[in-house]
C-alpha cells in the first residue's frame, strides 16, 4: 500500500482535517472523480495544488462545501435560479459559477471575479467537508487529482499513480472506492440572466431547464477558454484515442457490450449503458496505458444524457496531449 493512502475510519477523517488545517493536501473521493483538496482560504496550500498538478495558475479551482448554506460564504450574488439548482441537485455532480465574495481570493479563482462551488455527493467527501467546517474551515478547493491534461482518476490507486512523485510526505489520499459517476461535474455559469453550461456532465441541459424553468445556453470552446477542462486537448491518455475507426489487431477497444470485439483486438470495457460507460471510461483509458497500447478505438455512446459528457471528453482526449 502506498505511504499516502488512508482508509476512511473516524480517526483517519480527524487526521485528514488536521492535515488540511496544516496546509497539506488531501486527495478525496467524490461521486464524479477524485479531487486534490486544500484549505480554500489558505493561499500557500492552494498554491501547492497547482504545483503538484503542474497546472497553470490562472485556471480557477472548484471550492467544495458541505451544504448549500455555505454558498453565501463564497458568493456575493446568488440568483434565484442558482438556488433552485442547488436545492434540486446538491449534493450532486454540479458546479455553480457565481460572482465571488471577498473570501474567494485570486489564488482560488485564477484572478476571475467568479467562483465555482460544489457540494459533492459522496459520504467520504461530505464527512471530510463537515468535519473541516466544524473546526472553522470554510471550504476545500479541489481540482481533479491528476496531472494537468491527463485522465481524471476514478480510484485512489489512480490518484497515487498520477501524483505520488509530486506529493510530499504529509499529504494524504483518502480511499473511498471507485467513483459512481466517473466523469466530472456539469459546470453551470450562473452570473447571467440564463444558466450557461460551461462543461457537460451527468446533469443534462434538459434537467437544468426543468429545474429552473429557463432556457439553458451551452457554451463551446473560445468563450469558456479559462475553463481548463474545455481546452481542446485534455483528458488524454498516452495512447492515441481514435473515434471513427474499425479497430485492428493490437489496438485497444471500448464499446457498448452489444458490439463484438474483432479478433486480435484488446477489449478494455464493455459497458451496458451510458451510465456504466461514464463509470468505466477513465479506468479503461488508464488500462490502455498500463498495457502500453499505442492506440485505443472507442465507439462513442449516442445518448443525450451523460452521453453528451462522454462525447465531450472523448473528443478532447482524441486531440491528444
Ligand atoms: O467533478 C468535478 O468537478 C471534479 C471533482 C473533484 O469535484 N473537479 C474537477 O475540477 O473536475 P477541475 O479543476 O479538474 O475542473 C474544474 C473546471 C476547470 O475547467 C475550471 O477551469 C472550471 O472548472 N472552473 C472553476 N471555477 C471556475 C470559474 N469561476 N469560472 C469558470 N470556470 C471555472
Ligand atoms: Mg480536471
Amino acid at each position: 500500500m502506498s505511504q499516502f493512502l488512508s482508509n476512511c475510519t473516524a480517526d483517519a477523517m480527524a487526521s485528514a482535517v488536521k492535515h488540511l488545517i496544516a496546509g497539506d493536501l488531501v486527495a478525496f473521493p467524490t461521486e464524479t472523480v477524485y479531487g486534490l483538496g486544500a484549505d480554500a482560504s489558505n493561499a500557500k496550500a492552494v498554491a501547492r495544488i497547482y504545483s503538484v498538478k503542474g497546472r497553470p495558475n490562472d485556471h480557477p479551482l472548484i471550492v467544495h462545501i458541505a451544504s448549500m448554506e455555505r454558498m453565501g460564504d463564497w458568493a456575493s450574488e446568488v440568483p434565484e435560479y442558482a438556488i433552485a439548482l442547488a436545492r434540486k441537485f446538491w449534493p450532486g455532480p454540479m458546479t455553480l459559477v457565481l460572482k465571488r465574495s471577498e473570501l474567494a481570493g485570486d489564488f482560488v479563482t485564477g484572478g476571475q471575479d467568479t467562483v465555482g462551488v460544489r457540494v459533492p455527493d459522496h459520504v467520504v467527501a461530505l464527512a471530510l467537508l463537515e468535519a473541516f467546517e466544524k473546526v472553522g474551515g470554510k471550504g476545500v478547493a479541489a481540482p481533479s487529482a491528476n496531472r494537468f491534461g491527463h485522465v481524471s482518476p476514478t480510484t485512489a490507486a489512480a490518484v497515487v499513480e498520477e501524483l505520488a512523485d509530486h506529493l510530499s510526505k504529509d499529504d494524504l489520499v483518502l480511499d473511498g472506492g471507485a467513483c459512481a459517476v466517473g466523469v466530472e461535474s456539469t459546470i453551470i455559469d450562473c452570473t447571467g440572466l440564463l444558466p450557461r453550461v460551461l462543461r457537460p456532465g451527468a446533469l443534462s441541459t434538459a434537467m437544468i431547464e426543468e429545474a429552473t424553468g429557463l432556457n439553458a445556453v451551452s457554451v463551446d470552446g473560445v468563450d469558456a477558454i479559462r475553463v481548463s477542462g474545455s481546452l481542446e486537448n485534455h483528458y488524454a491518455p498516452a495512447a492515441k484515442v481514435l473515434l471513427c475507426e474499425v479497430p485492428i489487431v493490437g489496438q485497444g477497444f471500448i464499446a457498448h457490450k452489444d458490439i463484438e470485439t474483432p479478433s486480435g483486438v484488446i477489449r478494455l470495457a464493455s459497458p451496458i449503458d451510458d451510465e456504466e460507460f461514464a463509470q468505466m471510461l477513465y479506468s479503461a483509458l488508464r488500462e490502455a496505458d498500463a498495457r502500453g497500447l499505442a492506440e485505443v478505438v472507442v465507439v462513442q455512446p449516442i445518448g443525450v444524457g451523460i452521453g453528451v459528457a462522454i462525447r465531450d471528453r472523448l473528443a478532447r482526449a482524441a486531440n491528444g496531449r
Side-chain angles (χ1 to χ4, degrees):
M1 183 160 133
S2 155
Q3 55 162 329
F4 300 111
L5 271 181
S6 162
N7 52 18
C8 295
T9 58
D11 279 357
M13 212 53 83
S15 149
V17 167
K18 280 191 193 138
H19 281 267
L20 285 176
I21 295 167
D24 304 325
L25 302 185
V26 176
F28 61 96
T30 80
E31 80 281 31
T32 58
V33 300
Y34 273 70
L36 178 63
D39 176 352
S41 53
N42 179 338
K44 243 173 138 178
V46 171
R48 282 205 54 236
I49 292 181
Y50 287 89
S51 68
V52 166
K53 264 191 79 96
R55 176 171 173 156
N57 56 14
D58 61 348
H59 287 274
L61 301 175
I62 296 171
V63 177
H64 296 71
I65 50 179
S67 70
M68 69 177 280
E69 280 71 56
R70 311 308 294 256
M71 261 165 126
D73 290 353
W74 293 97
S76 60
E77 254 172 66
V78 184
E80 230 167 88
Y81 72 81
I83 295 174
L85 288 168
R87 284 222 175 94
K88 177 101 189 194
F89 298 116
W90 274 348
M94 173 182 79
T95 296
L96 300 181
V97 170
L98 300 160
K99 284 259 176 258
R100 71 171 174 182
S101 70
E102 267 174 32
L103 183 61
D106 284 341
F107 57 90
V108 168
T109 69
Q112 309 199 66
D113 61 359
T114 56
V115 64
V117 285
R118 173 162 117 83
V119 181
D121 185 15
H122 191 291
V123 280
V124 173
L126 287 173
L128 178 70
L129 294 168
E130 276 159 19
F132 187 52
E133 285 181 4
K134 262 199 191 124
V135 297
K138 295 285 188 190
V140 173
S144 52
N146 51 280
R147 294 281 289 167
F148 185 64
H150 291 198
V151 179
S152 299
T154 52
T155 62
V159 176
V160 172
E161 184 187 299
E162 279 283 324
L163 300 180
D165 291 346
H166 305 273
L167 293 172
S168 24
K169 66 172 184 15
D170 291 326
D171 298 329
L172 279 184
V173 179
L174 296 176
D175 188 349
C179 301
V181 174
V183 293
E184 304 81 356
S185 61
T186 304
I187 302 179
I188 309 169
D189 176 0
C190 301
T191 59
L193 288 177
L194 297 175
R196 298 193 322 149
V197 179
L198 302 182
R199 178 175 71 182
L203 218 79
S204 68
T205 303
M207 290 159 80
I208 296 165
E209 293 185 335
E210 201 195 308
T212 60
L214 299 170
N215 287 329
V217 184
S218 282
V219 178
D220 205 24
V222 278
D223 198 21
I225 199 72
R226 301 291 282 282
V227 183
S228 58
S230 78
L231 293 178
E232 279 181 359
N233 53 352
H234 221 75
Y235 312 106
K240 193 166 173 44
V241 175
L242 306 170
L243 299 179
C244 301
E245 300 188 24
V246 176
I248 55 170
V249 175
Q251 287 180 329
F253 188 47
I254 299 171
H256 190 278
K257 188 170 182 296
D258 291 344
I259 302 173
E260 274 178 33
T261 313
S263 75
V265 164
I266 299 136
R267 189 71 178 237
L268 298 166
S270 304
I272 52 164
D273 55 23
D274 288 4
E275 278 67 34
E276 199 174 78
F277 205 122
Q279 261 168 30
M280 292 178 158
L281 178 63
Y282 289 158
S283 57
L285 293 176
R286 279 178 190 282
E287 175 71 17
D289 285 349
R291 294 186 185 213
L293 303 182
E295 292 168 329
V296 186
V297 173
V298 186
V299 179
Q300 302 185 74
I302 53 173
V304 293
I306 200 165
V308 176
I310 296 170
R311 292 193 296 276
D312 170 77
R313 305 308 191 272
L314 281 171
R316 298 176 205 288
N319 275 331
R321 288 211 183 136

